[in-house]
Amino acid sequence: MKKSYKILFPLFIIFSATSCAKQNYPDDERYKPWRIGAAISYEFSSGVLEAYGVNKTEDWTSVMLPYGNLVSGKRLNLENYKRSSYPEYDGNSLILNNIINFTPNQLGLGFKTLPEQLYVYWRNNGTDYATVVDVTPQIKAAITKPYPHPSWRFEGENCYQTDFIFGLLPDGRAKLWLEGCNIYTYVGEYQPTKVMPPADPSKIKNKPIPWDKVNQVWYDKEKYKMQNIDDVVKL
């Protein structure tokens, strides 16, 4: 992987852009800075090397804090997955769950203004992938769409889906959801923008992938609602 993928952008770039960013989000204190999270399976785990959002029009970049919890022993424990999802979990499918998924904040104060592109650099089975997603007008409209807050503590207040959750598959594909308000909004599936095989092929483990299981997604249907972005925002 090139060094430019791993080096975080200087802090002054992030902070100096804050004052000149144009507001394209609701004037509501319940609207929080956007974040980029990841969901992975137990048997086919991935590690995020770096993730950030870019707004070329306003000339700023905002980087997420490190994703160390993705590879922590506590997180990558099958029993922990089962306790946080369902007892019969076999370790293959993607699990959408705030306890298991890791969604760090932006470095610094955090932008509420939305990026134009999302960049996620990640690794699975020795191969590095770059996933780049355009934040389309449809995605922006879905993020800024208000929902009734699901908590009784904030009754009468709005809630927003400001988390981008990438489900990372072992062949380099990435699924994308918006998360918030006890709702997952499925955006789509993306092919890797760039694939960087390991210099040492021996690092690749030739493990058969049961796609009928790996390509499945689990979420708590009693707590969360699942919807498609086309049903939420029609452009």
Side-chain angles (χ1 to χ4, degrees):
M1 174 172 285
K2 297 181 181 179
K3 291 182 179 179
S4 61
Y5 292 158
K6 295 184 178 180
I7 299 175
L8 296 181
F9 290 81
L11 291 180
F12 74 86
I13 294 179
I14 300 170
F15 294 127
S16 63
T18 305
S19 61
C20 61
K22 297 179 181 178
Q23 180 168 319
N24 63 355
Y25 56 87
D27 187 16
D28 185 342
E29 64 177 8
R30 301 307 309 173
Y31 183 88
K32 304 300 181 183
W34 53 268
R35 305 188 298 172
I36 302 174
I40 64 177
S41 74
Y42 174 78
E43 293 291 347
F44 299 93
S45 61
S46 301
V48 176
L49 305 174
E50 187 177 7
Y52 53 88
V54 174
N55 190 312
K56 295 180 181 179
T57 302
E58 298 176 4
D59 193 25
W60 57 256
T61 296
S62 189
V63 183
M64 299 300 104
L65 288 166
Y67 284 77
N69 281 13
L70 270 180
V71 293
S72 69
K74 181 178 180 181
R75 187 187 186 285
L76 292 182
N77 179 291
L78 185 56
E79 292 306 314
N80 187 40
Y81 270 73
K82 291 181 177 181
R83 284 194 300 269
S84 302
S85 57
Y86 59 103
E88 297 79 19
Y89 179 61
D90 62 3
N92 289 302
S93 62
L94 291 174
I95 292 182
L96 296 177
N97 185 296
N98 285 333
I99 298 175
I100 296 175
N101 302 156
F102 187 58
T103 310
N105 294 321
Q106 297 177 50
L107 186 65
L109 300 177
F111 279 93
K112 290 186 176 181
T113 300
L114 294 171
E116 295 173 335
Q117 288 90 28
L118 302 174
Y119 291 77
V120 181
Y121 297 98
W122 53 286
R123 179 174 297 156
N124 184 287
N125 195 18
T127 299
D128 291 343
Y129 299 99
T131 299
V132 181
V133 173
D134 289 332
V135 182
T136 64
Q138 185 183 34
I139 294 175
K140 292 179 180 179
I143 291 173
T144 55
K145 173 182 171 64
Y147 293 89
H149 204 289
S151 173
W152 61 268
R153 293 177 297 176
F154 304 106
E155 185 176 357
E157 299 185 27
N158 289 330
C159 178
Y160 302 88
Q161 290 194 289
T162 53
D163 287 350
F164 299 96
I165 305 296
F166 284 87
L168 307 178
L169 297 173
D171 62 352
R173 289 177 295 152
K175 297 179 183 290
L176 176 61
W177 291 268
L178 303 179
E179 193 272 334
C181 315
N182 290 353
I183 302 171
Y184 286 104
T185 300
Y186 182 63
V187 178
E189 183 177 280
Y190 298 85
Q191 295 292 334
T193 306
K194 189 172 184 179
V195 180
M196 296 150 278
D200 183 1
S202 65
K203 292 184 178 181
I204 298 178
K205 300 178 182 179
N206 294 317
K207 183 178 180 180
I209 302 174
W211 282 110
D212 59 326
K213 298 178 180 178
V214 172
N215 208 28
Q216 298 299 312
V217 177
W218 181 92
Y219 67 98
D220 187 344
K221 295 179 176 62
E222 294 184 359
K223 181 179 179 181
Y224 289 87
K225 174 185 175 181
M226 180 68 73
Q227 59 189 18
N228 290 317
I229 192 169
D230 290 336
D231 297 327
V232 176
V233 178
K234 300 182 185 300
L235 295 181

